[in-house]
Amino acid sequence: MLADMVKDKKRADGMASLMADTMRMAQEAKRRATQGPLPVMHATLPDRMGMVLQHRALVARARDTENTVHQQGSPVRSILLAPVTHGVAPQGLSGLEPIVLSEALQKVNMIQIGRVMFLTIVEEAYRTVATSMIVRDTEGNNMCLHLYNYVPPEVLPGVMLPVGSRIALVHPYLRFPRDDQRNWVCMRCDNPQAVHLLSERRYEQCTVHSDFEWTEEQEVIQVSAPAAAELKDPARAHFLCDRAQCHVSKGRWSAALAESEEVLRLDPTNEKSAYCRALALLMLQRPVEAREAAADPLLDSLATSGKTGAATEVSTLRADIERAVA
């Protein structure tokens, strides 16, 4: 009974915290509507240690309620959509000019249109109304980043945005929380289109070589067959799996099937390739073979892996195959 009372109190505290955040956002939106845009101003970097300690305390508080209010999806969050300040963001990074925190701090309260900031998550993400985390720019400076409308309610922030993740933030926007200059300046992003998750390789290409046009597909497809053949089995399986995904994205179904089957020969436990093989067979108008491939236990394992969207993708594929067979 005592455990239930503690759990109920945590749930109530979590709801109270969310309601308070919601009220503050409503008051902020009302103030903005009546007072107009905020003045552009200069600010300094937050105290790094103080910011980290405060953030960790908030993470601990959020973790207490994550398995009650946050994971289930509260009625507050389910109806709340923060104002989309950023507008439409470009689809890619081409043509954008890099910016770092030290430069952005010269113009707080101004959206840096046409700029992109490359960041690394260095402290665990937590969620109230926004998803908040501490990020580090390419100069090694830290700041708190608040993302709205990005992490789905049913997904834990730390799963979607683990520590070490690389981000390209388009049109970065610095401001003081609740427009109070006594608070540490932070970054805010309301538009999920402005957030680009990067692989390590692409992050390197962007930050070291300033090559914003580079994509993982270019590297995978351009590696020659002889070079791939020289790879040892584990590395070769990983390489071919990536290349099969590129073939799928371009609709090259025969190539995707061939690569997937080779991966499964090298690594019989590769769930992605089992899924890719079944999909390729379906798209090649071979539904009976596709149904056999989709019955592979590896697809059941993929569906129950907890990976975002995996269960839906597997069930949708199997339903499509059954329709094709009928």
Side-chain angles (χ1 to χ4, degrees):
M1 181 176 291
L2 180 60
D4 291 338
M5 291 175 64
V6 171
K7 189 180 298 183
D8 289 342
K9 184 178 186 306
K10 287 183 177 180
R11 183 181 295 108
D13 290 345
M15 284 298 299
S17 174
L18 285 171
M19 291 298 295
D21 287 336
T22 304
M23 290 296 295
R24 282 195 293 267
M25 286 189 62
Q27 292 169 0
E28 180 184 327
K30 183 177 180 181
R31 185 209 56 74
R32 273 206 222 99
T34 56
Q35 295 184 11
L38 297 169
V40 176
M41 61 181 67
H42 170 271
T44 58
L45 284 166
D47 174 68
R48 178 177 294 194
M49 184 53 66
M51 178 177 58
V52 168
L53 292 176
Q54 182 186 70
H55 179 85
R56 290 177 180 174
L58 292 170
V59 167
R61 189 178 74 175
R63 192 179 290 128
D64 285 340
T65 56
E66 192 68 56
N67 291 324
T68 55
V69 175
H70 297 294
Q71 187 171 358
Q72 295 168 8
S74 75
V76 175
R77 281 216 332 275
S78 64
I79 63 172
L80 176 65
L81 287 177
V84 179
T85 303
H86 285 71
V88 178
Q91 293 298 311
L93 306 180
S94 179
L96 300 176
E97 183 181 352
I99 187 172
V100 292
L101 286 170
S102 58
E103 180 182 350
L105 283 165
Q106 308 306 310
K107 294 184 177 180
V108 175
N109 295 329
M110 187 184 86
I111 298 173
Q112 300 282 350
I113 300 296
R115 310 298 294 274
V116 58
M117 189 177 293
F118 296 101
L119 304 164
T120 303
I121 299 176
V122 295
E123 290 286 336
E124 181 181 350
Y126 71 93
R127 174 168 50 203
T128 52
V129 177
T131 298
S132 304
M133 67 214 74
I134 293 181
V135 293
R136 179 172 298 156
D137 71 358
T138 52
E139 288 187 337
N141 292 318
N142 289 5
M143 187 166 288
C144 190
L145 169 63
H146 303 289
L147 298 181
Y148 290 82
N149 311 313
Y150 187 76
V151 179
E154 67 276 9
V155 178
L156 296 179
V159 174
M160 189 169 180
L161 296 168
V163 172
S165 297
R166 307 289 197 176
I167 297 175
L169 185 64
V170 176
H171 303 338
Y173 170 50
L174 272 61
R175 54 164 298 171
F176 291 100
R178 295 185 289 281
D179 304 330
D180 188 342
Q181 295 181 40
R182 292 172 297 180
N183 293 320
W184 286 317
V185 68
C186 65
M187 283 191 291
R188 170 172 173 159
C189 178
D190 298 350
N191 186 352
Q193 295 177 337
V195 182
H196 297 255
L197 287 176
L198 307 179
S199 67
E200 287 292 329
R201 185 73 174 104
R202 190 174 186 198
Y203 179 84
E204 178 186 348
Q205 288 292 322
C206 290
T207 58
V208 177
H209 304 291
S210 299
D211 182 4
F212 294 179
E213 303 288 346
W214 185 93
T215 64
E216 284 82 355
E217 179 185 343
Q218 288 174 330
E219 178 173 278
V220 171
I221 296 298
Q222 289 172 3
V223 173
S224 66
E230 293 172 2
L231 297 173
K232 301 298 182 182
D233 281 0
R236 178 173 167 77
H238 181 76
F239 165 79
L240 292 176
C241 183
D242 286 346
R243 194 160 71 178
Q245 299 300 315
C246 292
H247 289 315
V248 167
S249 69
K250 294 299 182 182
R252 296 187 283 257
W253 301 112
S254 295
L257 176 60
E259 303 281 30
S260 298
E261 290 182 334
E262 176 63 9
V263 172
L264 290 168
R265 186 187 70 79
L266 297 170
D267 178 11
T269 65
N270 194 295
E271 298 167 353
K272 285 185 180 179
S273 291
Y275 174 88
C276 183
R277 176 179 61 182
L279 176 61
L281 285 167
L282 174 63
M283 301 308 293
L284 290 169
Q285 307 298 316
R286 296 160 61 178
V288 175
E289 294 172 80
R291 182 162 61 177
E292 293 177 1
D296 192 317
L298 287 175
L299 271 74
D300 296 324
S301 178
L302 177 62
T304 58
S305 65
K307 296 176 182 176
T308 304
T312 300
E313 289 181 6
V314 170
S315 62
T316 300
L317 173 61
R318 285 173 167 167
D320 289 343
I321 290 172
E322 291 304 318
R323 280 193 292 270
V325 172

